[in-house]
Amino acid sequence: MSLTLHHHFERKFDWNTSYFSIAARNLVRDGFANLRGGVYQTAGQVRDDFYAGHPPLTAWLLAGWMKLFGTSDAAIRALPLAFTALNLLLLFGLVRRTFGAPAALAAMIVCSLMPMTVVYSQYVNMEPFVLTFMLGAALGYVAWSRSGSTFSFLFMSLCIVLGCWTD
């Protein structure tokens, strides 16, 4: 997965990455307040597969990442890779709490070798981020169902809301 960090964006295959990168660069350049936090495209850039209904959290995450690490292609590609690594750790934690450490290790290894995991760790899209929030919500639910903790319920609820704001 890390081999793709230094590949330049290719619009034919990286349309989502370039779309969210343009939106995030606009947010970094013009400011969150000036753009009212919005994600926009200029006339003539809309394609048939453009999902106008996506909430802006993916672009906001990327804009924050760009503020910290820069706007190079490698820096942009590092964000979904970091979230994919976090997802593997969250998957390990969830499966470990439910089925034990050996099953968790097996699940993490299998998931890390899946072609879908490799593909979605290469470009900025909603999938790695939504998976993070879904796994967080699942961990919160497991903790809440076992202990009845208010914190666990609030954590689960926050992850659900963040997942909805991402995709």
Coordinates of all heavy atoms in Angstrom, one line a residue, residues 2 12 17 21 41 46 60 65 67 72 74 76 88 100-101 105 108 111 121 124 129 140 149-150 165:
S2 N 2.0 1.2 0.7 CA 2.8 2.4 0.8 C 3.5 2.7 -0.5 O 4.1 3.8 -0.7 CB 3.8 2.3 2.0 OG 4.7 1.2 1.8
K12 N -7.8 9.8 -14.8 CA -8.7 8.7 -15.3 C -9.0 7.7 -14.1 O -10.1 7.2 -14.1 CB -7.9 8.0 -16.4 CG -8.7 6.9 -17.0 CD -7.9 6.3 -18.2 CE -8.6 5.1 -18.8 NZ -7.8 4.5 -19.9
T17 N -10.1 11.1 -5.7 CA -8.9 11.7 -5.0 C -8.7 13.1 -5.5 O -8.5 14.0 -4.7 CB -7.7 10.8 -5.2 OG1 -7.9 9.5 -4.6 CG2 -6.5 11.5 -4.6
S21 N -9.2 16.4 -3.3 CA -8.0 17.1 -3.1 C -8.2 18.6 -3.5 O -7.7 19.5 -2.9 CB -6.8 16.5 -3.9 OG -6.6 15.2 -3.4
Q41 N -17.6 22.7 -7.0 CA -16.9 22.6 -8.2 C -17.2 23.7 -9.1 O -18.3 24.3 -9.0 CB -17.3 21.3 -8.9 CG -16.8 20.0 -8.2 CD -17.2 18.8 -9.0 OE1 -18.2 18.7 -9.6 NE2 -16.2 17.9 -9.1
V46 N -18.4 18.9 -13.5 CA -19.4 17.9 -13.0 C -19.4 16.7 -14.0 O -19.5 16.9 -15.2 CB -20.8 18.4 -12.8 CG1 -21.7 17.4 -12.4 CG2 -20.7 19.6 -11.8
W60 N -13.1 18.1 4.6 CA -12.6 18.7 5.8 C -11.4 18.0 6.4 O -10.4 18.6 6.9 CB -13.7 18.9 6.8 CG -14.8 19.8 6.4 CD1 -14.9 20.6 5.3 CD2 -16.1 19.9 7.1 NE1 -16.1 21.2 5.3 CE2 -16.8 20.9 6.4 CE3 -16.6 19.4 8.3 CZ2 -18.1 21.3 6.8 CZ3 -17.9 19.8 8.7 CH2 -18.6 20.7 7.9
W65 N -5.5 17.7 7.2 CA -4.3 16.9 7.0 C -3.3 17.7 6.1 O -2.1 17.7 6.4 CB -4.7 15.6 6.2 CG -3.6 14.7 6.0 CD1 -2.8 14.6 4.9 CD2 -3.1 13.6 6.9 NE1 -1.9 13.6 5.0 CE2 -2.1 13.0 6.2 CE3 -3.5 13.2 8.1 CZ2 -1.4 11.9 6.8 CZ3 -2.8 12.2 8.7 CH2 -1.8 11.5 8.1
K67 N -3.1 21.0 6.0 CA -2.5 22.0 6.8 C -1.3 21.5 7.6 O -0.4 22.2 7.8 CB -3.6 22.6 7.8 CG -4.6 23.5 7.2 CD -4.2 24.9 7.5 CE -5.4 25.8 7.1 NZ -5.0 27.2 7.1
S72 N 1.5 17.9 -1.1 CA 2.1 17.0 -2.1 C 1.2 15.7 -2.3 O 0.4 15.4 -1.5 CB 3.5 16.6 -1.7 OG 3.4 15.7 -0.6
A74 N 2.1 12.7 -2.3 CA 2.5 11.7 -1.2 C 1.8 12.0 0.1 O 1.3 11.1 0.8 CB 4.0 11.6 -1.0
I76 N -1.0 13.7 0.5 CA -2.5 13.4 0.3 C -2.8 11.9 0.4 O -3.7 11.5 1.0 CB -3.0 14.1 -1.0 CG1 -2.9 15.6 -0.9 CG2 -4.4 13.6 -1.3 CD1 -3.1 16.3 -2.2
L88 N -7.3 -1.3 10.7 CA -6.8 -2.6 11.0 C -6.7 -2.8 12.5 O -7.0 -3.8 13.1 CB -5.5 -2.9 10.3 CG -5.6 -3.0 8.7 CD1 -4.3 -3.1 8.1 CD2 -6.5 -4.2 8.3
G100 N -11.6 -13.1 20.9 CA -10.3 -13.4 21.4 C -9.2 -13.0 20.5 O -9.4 -12.7 19.3
A101 N -7.9 -13.0 21.0 CA -6.8 -12.5 20.3 C -6.4 -13.3 19.1 O -6.1 -12.8 18.0 CB -5.6 -12.5 21.2
L105 N -6.2 -11.5 15.4 CA -5.0 -11.5 14.5 C -5.3 -12.1 13.1 O -4.8 -11.5 12.1 CB -3.8 -12.3 15.2 CG -2.5 -12.3 14.4 CD1 -2.0 -10.9 14.3 CD2 -1.5 -13.2 15.2
M108 N -7.3 -9.5 11.2 CA -6.5 -8.4 10.8 C -5.7 -8.7 9.6 O -5.5 -8.0 8.6 CB -5.7 -7.9 11.9 CG -5.0 -6.6 11.6 SD -4.1 -5.9 13.0 CE -2.7 -7.0 13.0
C111 N -7.9 -9.2 6.4 CA -8.4 -7.9 6.0 C -7.3 -7.1 5.3 O -7.5 -6.5 4.3 CB -9.0 -7.1 7.1 SG -9.7 -5.6 6.6
S121 N -7.0 2.0 0.2 CA -6.0 2.7 1.0 C -5.1 3.6 0.1 O -4.3 4.3 0.6 CB -5.1 1.7 1.7 OG -4.3 1.0 0.8
V124 N -7.9 9.0 -1.9 CA -8.8 9.7 -0.9 C -10.3 9.5 -1.4 O -10.6 9.9 -2.5 CB -8.5 11.2 -0.8 CG1 -9.4 11.9 0.1 CG2 -7.1 11.4 -0.3
F129 N -12.5 6.3 5.7 CA -13.0 7.2 6.9 C -14.3 6.6 7.4 O -14.4 6.6 8.7 CB -13.1 8.6 6.4 CG -11.9 9.1 5.6 CD1 -12.1 9.6 4.3 CD2 -10.6 9.0 6.1 CE1 -11.0 10.1 3.6 CE2 -9.6 9.5 5.4 CZ -9.7 10.0 4.1
G140 N -17.9 1.0 20.4 CA -18.8 1.7 21.4 C -20.0 0.9 21.7 O -20.4 0.8 22.9
S149 N -22.3 1.9 30.0 CA -21.7 3.1 30.2 C -22.2 4.2 29.3 O -22.4 4.1 28.1 CB -20.2 2.9 29.9 OG -19.5 4.2 29.7
T150 N -22.4 5.4 29.9 CA -22.9 6.5 29.1 C -21.8 7.0 28.1 O -22.2 7.4 27.0 CB -23.2 7.7 30.1 OG1 -24.2 7.2 31.0 CG2 -23.8 8.9 29.3
W165 N -21.7 12.1 8.3 CA -21.1 13.4 7.8 C -20.0 13.1 6.8 O -19.6 14.0 6.1 CB -20.6 14.3 8.9 CG -21.7 15.2 9.4 CD1 -22.6 15.0 10.3 CD2 -21.9 16.5 8.8 NE1 -23.5 16.1 10.4 CE2 -23.0 17.0 9.5 CE3 -21.3 17.3 7.9 CZ2 -23.5 18.3 9.3 CZ3 -21.8 18.6 7.7 CH2 -22.9 19.0 8.3

